[in-house]
Amino acid sequence: MAPHIVSYVKRISYMKRLLRIKGDVIMSEETTGGDKSYSAPALEKGLDILESLAEKESAVSLRELAERLGKSKNEIFRMIHVLIARGYVQRDSDTDELTLSPKLFGLGLRTPQSRTLLESALPEMRLLAEEVNQAPHLVVIYKGRTVIVGSIPTTSDVTFNLHLGYGRIASEAASGRVIMAFQPQEKRALMLRDCKSHGGKPFDDRSINAILDDIRQQGHILGKSTDFLGITDICGPILNPEGDAVASIIVPHVDRVSDTDDLSQVLKAVKQACERISQKL
C-alpha cells in the first residue's frame, strides 16, 4: 500500500478513536448472525429533541425539554445551539423558550410525493378560489394531526386563511375526518391511535368510526366549524387510484349576515376540484 494511503488510513482510525472517547458521535458495529447495527447517539439525541418539540403546541424552556427527554440541561445544551444555528429550532429572545422552525416542514414539502401532490393540486385550487371566492386549503395527516400544505388566498374583502403548517388533532378536524373516512380499516385504526396519543377530546372507536362511515357514505363534509365561529367547513377528499384519501381540500366558508351564497354550489365546486386532482394523481 502506498505510504500516503497508509497515512490517510491511520488518520481516519485516529479520528474515530477520538470520536469514541468524546462520545459526540459513536458508530458502533455489532455483528449477530451476519447482521450489522449502528448507533449514533448524538444524532439520536438531536432527533429526540426535534420529535419532542414537534409534539408540543407551545414553546418550552430548556429545563422542561430536558425533563421531557429524561436528560440534564448540560446534555442537550450544545445540541440545541447547533439546531438553532442550522435553523431547525427557534429561541424566543425574551423568554429563551424553544420552538420548531418551519424548516423541517419546508424540507417535507420538497419530497417527490409532496411535490407531485402540490403540483397537481395548486392549479386546481386557484381555479376553485376564483369560482367560490373563498380560500381553499390542501390538508394531509401526519402522525395523528392535520397539516396544511397549501392554500390559495382570494381577492375577497373578507376571507379565512390558515397559515401553512397549521394543524389540529385529525379526529377533531373536518379535513382530518374526511381523510380518515376514506382509508382501509387497518390504516384508519392506526390513524385513530395516533390521534389518541395527542390527548384532546376523548372518543371511543365505535362512535368515531360511525361518524367516519357516514362521511364516507356522504362523500364530503358540509357543516359548521367545530373550531371557529362564523365558519362553515366544506371539505372533500383527494383519492389515489385505490380509492384511499391522500389529502383533502377544505374551504372554510365565511358566514356573513348578507350572504346569499348557495353552499351546495360551493360544495359541488370543491368536489369537482378534488376529482380533477385525483385524476391527475
Side-chain angles (χ1 to χ4, degrees):
M1 186 181 292
H4 69 281
I5 296 178
V6 173
S7 176
Y8 177 75
V9 171
K10 286 181 177 179
R11 287 201 299 272
I12 294 294
S13 178
Y14 176 68
M15 290 174 66
K16 286 183 177 179
R17 288 199 302 273
L18 280 181
L19 290 174
R20 288 192 178 95
I21 293 171
K22 290 181 67 178
D24 286 339
V25 179
I26 301 177
M27 292 298 293
S28 62
E29 180 179 319
E30 299 173 357
T31 305
T32 306
D35 295 333
K36 297 179 180 179
S37 62
Y38 299 92
S39 64
L43 175 59
E44 291 175 359
K45 188 187 299 182
L47 293 174
D48 286 341
I49 290 171
L50 293 175
E51 290 175 357
S52 181
L53 289 174
E55 292 170 359
K56 292 289 291 181
E57 295 187 10
S58 57
V60 299
S61 66
L62 180 62
R63 180 188 297 278
E64 182 182 352
L65 180 59
E67 290 175 352
R68 285 171 58 85
L69 296 173
K71 301 181 182 298
S72 69
K73 291 196 298 182
N74 289 338
E75 284 183 90
I76 64 173
F77 180 80
R78 286 193 302 168
M79 186 65 69
I80 288 293
H81 276 269
V82 172
L83 291 171
I84 292 173
R86 294 295 298 268
Y88 289 97
V89 173
Q90 296 173 330
R91 180 173 57 192
D92 189 289
S93 58
D94 296 325
T95 64
D96 282 339
E97 289 183 326
L98 307 167
T99 56
L100 277 185
S101 76
K103 186 170 183 177
L104 277 176
F105 178 71
L107 289 176
L109 294 181
R110 289 160 58 184
T111 62
Q113 184 178 4
S114 295
R115 287 202 304 270
T116 300
L117 176 60
L118 286 169
E119 288 167 358
S120 301
L122 290 179
E124 300 297 340
M125 290 170 64
R126 290 190 183 94
L127 294 175
L128 175 61
E130 293 175 4
E131 184 176 354
V132 302
N133 207 24
Q134 298 282 333
H137 297 70
L138 179 66
V139 183
V140 298
I141 291 179
Y142 179 71
K143 290 188 175 181
R145 294 185 64 85
T146 59
V147 183
I148 293 177
V149 296
S151 66
I152 302 294
T154 71
T155 57
S156 175
D157 59 337
V158 177
T159 189
F160 190 84
N161 193 56
L162 296 166
H163 63 76
L164 295 181
Y166 172 83
R168 297 174 58 200
I169 299 174
S171 57
E172 300 175 7
S175 56
R177 288 183 172 185
V178 164
I179 295 172
M180 290 192 294
F182 289 84
Q183 300 297 334
Q185 288 298 325
E186 289 185 2
K187 188 171 182 180
R188 183 195 288 186
L190 291 175
M191 287 180 161
L192 290 174
R193 187 182 65 185
D194 287 339
C195 293
K196 288 181 178 179
S197 70
H198 294 289
K201 300 175 183 176
F203 63 84
D204 64 86
D205 290 351
R206 180 177 296 181
S207 61
I208 191 67
N209 273 299
I211 292 171
L212 297 179
D213 288 342
D214 184 59
I215 293 171
R216 187 180 185 114
Q217 185 176 3
Q218 294 292 326
H220 62 267
I221 282 180
L222 192 159
K224 296 298 182 183
S225 171
T226 58
D227 198 30
F228 300 100
L229 294 174
I231 297 294
T232 296
D233 287 334
I234 305 172
C235 185
I238 295 173
L239 306 176
N240 63 18
E242 290 73 36
D244 304 332
V246 296
S248 64
I249 286 184
I250 185 167
V251 171
H253 190 280
V254 178
D255 300 330
R256 307 179 71 167
V257 174
S258 59
D259 204 348
T260 58
D261 286 351
D262 182 352
L263 295 188
S264 65
Q265 292 301 310
V266 178
L267 173 62
K268 181 180 178 181
V270 169
K271 295 181 75 171
Q272 288 175 342
C274 289
E275 290 170 3
R276 293 193 298 267
I277 297 167
S278 298
Q279 290 172 1
K280 288 183 179 181
L281 291 177

